[in-house]
Amino acid sequence: MTRLLPSLRGIPRTLVFGAVLTVLAIGGTFLLDPYRNFQLATIAAYFCAAAGLTVLIGQSGQLSLGQAALMAAGGYGYALTANAMTGAGVTGMPRFLGGMLVAVAVSAALGWLLGLAAARLRGPYLAGVTLTLVIAVPAVAAVFSGVLRGDQGVQIAYDAVPPLLERLIAAEQWQAWVAILVAGVVVTGLAAFARGRLGLRMRAVRDDETAARLNGVRSGRVKVTAFTVSSMAAGAGGAVLCFVTQSVSPGAYTLAFSLLLVVAVVLGGLGSIGGAAIGSALIVLLPWLLSTATAALPLSAEVSQRLSGNLSILVFGVLLIVVMLAWPGCLASLRRRRRRSGTAPRTPRDINGAPRQQPADGVSALGRSLAGERRGEDAPAEPAGAGAQHP
């Protein structure tokens, strides 16, 4: 993208890059059969949640194990709103947009409450709070069974293909289009957010909270904002998943699924939105590939049943260990490693020749940004920081 449009820098480059990738993904749906388009729509829904999680963990350094609960909040918000609008006679795109707005608002409110706790907690204590949230999803659905329908969940009406596209695409392809468009908007917004001033402050708080405070950064406000933005992305992913599957239930948002989202982010690379896309594809395609492979083997029914529930977890565990040992930067670092091959980084040294101690990337970049603000200059287009990655 830089070679094609060398004048683009910073956030405009991110927006153009995201729009091009979205158009290419939509065009790729014509090459897939209906089931593959359904898988692509599911990947797009997971991508929204994983991208929000990688920004939260990789940019601000806050660990959350409750991303599945935030997706459930978005899914229930979308389903209840869509059913209410259907009863009022509203269908089609207005119903979808209304349900999406409510889903994002509900998940943002829940994420804001989590952010208030995150401003006072850290490490295992914060992970424990978010873990409690995802464990409580089935109990909440059971207590409010009159509205949330308990374990059965909430079903929504079928969203048909618009009349103008009925002869061109199938229903699964239309669902893939909607999922890709939503993922494109959400992920591009997250990438622009991470490259802006607030993303710079997040990295400063992650690197050294004390130094960030000395530079005038309100770390509590930064943490609350990071949780809120990540929750909005998760809520959008839950709404898209509800749109694709036409239902939402607590059984789809278990603790295992929430941990799987964390594994996907770690495998792809913390702080890398492109790595979140790789991880999202893995958690959808890898179980399908394993089930296809086991179905082709001459195994007994008992062995097949045991493998169907445990083999994918075992493979994910082995894959995580192998990737962490072979590529510490995870899968997203492979491209950067090829770019840097053959060039040795120069270590700054002082006047005596000893290696010079460098401040944390986020803090040093924040200092330059604040100095530019005092002089009336704009923020740097390419903020420093190990966690800043291109989508």
Side-chain angles (χ1 to χ4, degrees), residues 90-97 159:
V90 180
T91 59
M93 190 57 63
R95 179 178 63 184
F96 174 78
L97 294 178
D159 288 279

Side-chain angles (χ1 to χ4, degrees), residues 6 8 22 34 60 88 96 133 141 172 177 189 200 249 264 270 286 289 311-312 321 346 353-354 374 384:
L8 286 178
T22 302
S60 67
F96 174 78
L133 182 66
E172 292 81 4
W177 281 20
L200 188 61
S249 63
L270 290 177
L286 187 58
L289 291 173
L311 183 59
S312 59
I321 294 173
R346 297 180 60 186
R374 297 188 186 99

Side-chain angles (χ1 to χ4, degrees), residues 50-289:
L53 188 60
T54 197
V55 168
L56 178 66
I57 300 177
Q59 299 288 331
S60 67
Q62 301 178 91
L63 176 61
S64 173
L65 302 179
Q67 199 76 346
L70 297 170
M71 287 186 68
Y76 275 108
Y78 177 84
L80 295 176
T81 304
N83 287 340
M85 296 181 72
T86 301
V90 180
T91 59
M93 190 57 63
R95 179 178 63 184
F96 174 78
L97 294 178
M100 181 64 66
L101 289 176
V102 172
V104 173
V106 170
S107 59
L110 186 58
W112 179 75
L113 293 176
L114 280 177
L116 293 179
R120 296 166 175 82
L121 301 175
R122 66 180 62 188
Y125 304 102
L126 176 59
V129 170
T130 57
L131 184 63
T132 303
L133 182 66
V134 72
I135 293 176
V137 170
V140 172
V143 171
F144 299 96
S145 58
V147 178
L148 305 181
R149 307 291 178 85
D151 294 336
Q152 295 180 356
V154 180
Q155 285 73 37
I156 63 173
Y158 169 70
D159 288 279
V161 182
L164 295 177
L165 300 174
E166 284 181 342
R167 298 182 179 180
L168 179 63
I169 60 176
E172 292 81 4
Q173 190 172 358
W174 166 246
Q175 292 173 349
W177 281 20
V178 173
I180 290 170
L181 284 173
V182 173
V185 172
V186 170
V187 175
T188 303
L190 287 174
F193 168 80
R195 294 173 66 91
R197 293 184 186 274
L198 192 53
L200 188 61
R201 285 163 169 78
M202 287 168 52
R203 292 189 291 276
V205 172
R206 177 203 63 193
D207 292 338
D208 194 328
E209 187 172 345
T210 302
R213 288 179 177 177
L214 292 176
N215 278 278
V217 176
R218 298 181 178 179
S219 59
R221 180 177 298 181
V222 170
K223 292 180 179 180
V224 172
T225 303
F227 250 102
T228 304
V229 171
S230 175
S231 301
M232 292 172 64
V240 169
L241 193 60
C242 180
F243 170 80
V244 173
T245 60
Q246 299 166 24
S247 66
V248 56
S249 63
Y253 301 100
T254 60
L255 175 60
F257 176 66
S258 191
L259 295 177
L260 197 60
L261 287 175
V262 177
V263 171
V265 169
V266 174
L267 280 176
L270 290 177
S272 170
I273 293 182
I278 298 174
S280 302
L282 280 176
I283 63 178
V284 173
L285 298 179
L286 187 58
W288 170 74
L289 291 173

